Amino acid sequence: MRRIMLAVAVALLPGVGAACTWLKPFEMTQIAGAELVVVGKVTGYQDLGTPQGTALVTLQVEEVLKGKAKDEMLLVWNAGMAQGPHESRATGRVLAGAMRGGRLAVSSMVTDERPDLPAIVQPLCGEVWMQPATKANVAAAREVLE
């Protein structure tokens, strides 16, 4: 019992518990957990300059695979612990999985800059749910969502 309590205490320490030892790769089966799945062309990227990392991504929607979306939409990309918003990842045609706005855990360390916008799923220690919209990726997403 003492070891378990010690492990929990260490995990809660800033710095130790706030770091990921490896980035869990994105698996297409995860996309089924998104509330909104779209294919579109990135037409805008704006880094909000927040300490924790937040950016706005504008998409010209080409196809909606799950949920409802308009022709053009604005998504917020909040950083995880292992990966944050990067302009180089938000270029060209993308397949994006998003959830309704609002972080699950909001604190003074991790604020929610735009709870009014759908958020691109960024797992804490995982790869972002925004991938290049290759024919293979879009076909795989369709298969998972059927």
Side-chain angles (χ1 to χ4, degrees), residues 55-66:
L56 299 178
V57 178
T58 307
L59 284 183
Q60 184 65 44
V61 177
E62 297 173 8
E63 187 176 359
V64 179
L65 303 178
K66 184 178 180 181

Side-chain angles (χ1 to χ4, degrees), residues 1 15 24 26 32 34 50 91 96 105 111 116 124 135-136:
M1 182 69 168
K24 182 179 179 185
F26 173 76
T50 61
T91 58
T111 59
D116 58 315
L124 290 178
K135 286 183 181 182

Side-chain angles (χ1 to χ4, degrees), residues 5 12 37 39 45 57 64-65 82 94 103 111 119-120 123 131-132 136 141:
M5 291 181 65
L12 293 175
V37 180
V39 176
Y45 179 90
V57 178
V64 179
L65 303 178
V94 295
R103 284 185 179 265
T111 59
I120 299 168
Q131 302 293 312

Side-chain angles (χ1 to χ4, degrees), residues 10 16 28 30 33 41-42 50-51 57 61 75 78 87 100 102 111 113 123 126 137 140 142 144:
V10 168
V16 175
M28 193 57 72
Q30 296 172 315
K41 182 175 183 194
V42 176
T50 61
V57 178
V61 177
L75 301 166
N78 296 304
E87 190 169 7
R100 68 180 182 282
T111 59
E113 298 298 322
N137 278 349
R142 278 192 189 107
V144 167

Side-chain angles (χ1 to χ4, degrees), residues 2 24 47 58 91 95 98 128 136:
R2 186 175 184 189
K24 182 179 179 185
D47 185 336
T58 307
T91 58
L95 168 72
V128 67

